[in-house]
Amino acid sequence: KQEVTQIPAALSVPEGENLVLNCSFTDSAIYNLQWFRQDPGKGLTSLLLIQSSQREQTSGRLNASLDKSSGRSTLYIAASQPGDSATYLCALSAPGGSNYKLTFGKGTLLTVNP
Amino acid sequence: ETGVTQSPTHLIKTRGQQVTLRCSSQSGHNTVSWYQQALGQGPQFIFQYYREEENGRGNFPPRFSGLQFPNYSSELNVNALELDDSALYLCACGGGPPREQYFGPGTRLTVT
């Protein structure tokens, strides 16, 4: 059974700082990994998707990496801004047919202080 | 915007009642999944529908059921509501490789 852990559970940083969020998983047999952002009481916004054959993906100030052998992914946020404050979730899907089930971590609550 | 909509936004029900939540996708994704998210937790997979058939289920009892329609919209039905069913319910739509999933804004269900 796939288990996903996100560390830290909460993080508070001053504006402008670069930061790294961590995601670890127990089963390296994955199809893809997605990082999501969730604002309080809202739905999930997809930030980056890394397929199992890829090592990293970049979008603007965000960079996500994937190391299946060690069961880890990181989300790097450069030059953080107060608008980045949200909960960040990583989720994995398993290989096989039309299996779209995502297994989520509990998330990291990020606060960027002006 | 993900192009996925859910209704209603909020709902208050009494224990023992039944509820129907709805989800639709502008892009006609052929797979829809439903998730339950309790406060402070990550979303938990309820089930997914592919081409109108249930195609995978999480650890939820049979009183959680669903439908997917030919236009790819979907319903989540919950019977005999319990207090622990209070949560944010999210639907996610997707289709084809690389199986990226797009989430709706969620329905906040409160059971009293």
Side-chain angles (χ1 to χ4, degrees), chain A residues 18-98:
Chain A
N18 302 325
L19 59 100
V20 174
L21 307 181
N22 297 291
C23 172
S24 62
F25 47 95
T26 55
D27 187 348
S28 62
I30 67 171
Y31 183 82
N32 65 30
L33 182 149
Q34 276 186 262
W35 281 93
F36 293 91
R37 169 191 171 130
Q38 186 175 33
D39 293 298
K42 304 296 184 182
L44 278 62
T45 300
S46 180
L47 298 174
L48 290 165
L49 179 147
I50 309 177
Q51 298 182 67
S52 63
S53 59
Q54 298 174 325
R55 296 281 294 184
E56 65 177 335
Q57 283 287 340
T58 298
S59 176
R61 294 183 294 108
L62 306 180
N63 175 276
S65 68
L66 173 64
D67 183 346
K68 288 195 303 178
S69 62
S70 65
R72 293 184 181 182
S73 175
T74 61
L75 179 66
Y76 174 82
I77 302 178
S80 58
Q81 303 171 357
D84 295 331
S85 298
T87 295
Y88 291 80
L89 294 149
C90 72
L92 298 95
S93 67
S98 56

Side-chain angles (χ1 to χ4, degrees), chain A residues 38 41-45 89 104, chain B residues 4 6 21-23 32-38 41-47 76 87-93 102-108:
Chain A
Q38 186 175 33
K42 304 296 184 182
L44 278 62
T45 300
L89 294 149
F104 283 85
Chain B
V4 178
Q6 292 186 243
L21 310 182
R22 296 179 174 83
C23 172
V32 62
S33 304
W34 286 89
Y35 293 81
Q36 180 194 68
Q37 186 178 25
Q41 302 295 314
Q44 296 294 312
F45 176 75
I46 302 175
F47 46 57
L76 166 65
L88 181 67
Y89 288 85
L90 298 161
C91 75
C93 300
Y102 303 93
F103 280 77
T107 293
R108 170 69 63 186

Side-chain angles (χ1 to χ4, degrees), chain A residues 32 38 46 97-100 102, chain B residues 35 37 48 55 96 98-99 101:
Chain A
N32 65 30
Q38 186 175 33
S46 180
S98 56
N99 183 1
Y100 282 72
L102 290 174
Chain B
Y35 293 81
Q37 186 178 25
Q48 77 170 44
N55 187 36
R99 296 197 214 148
Q101 302 215 34

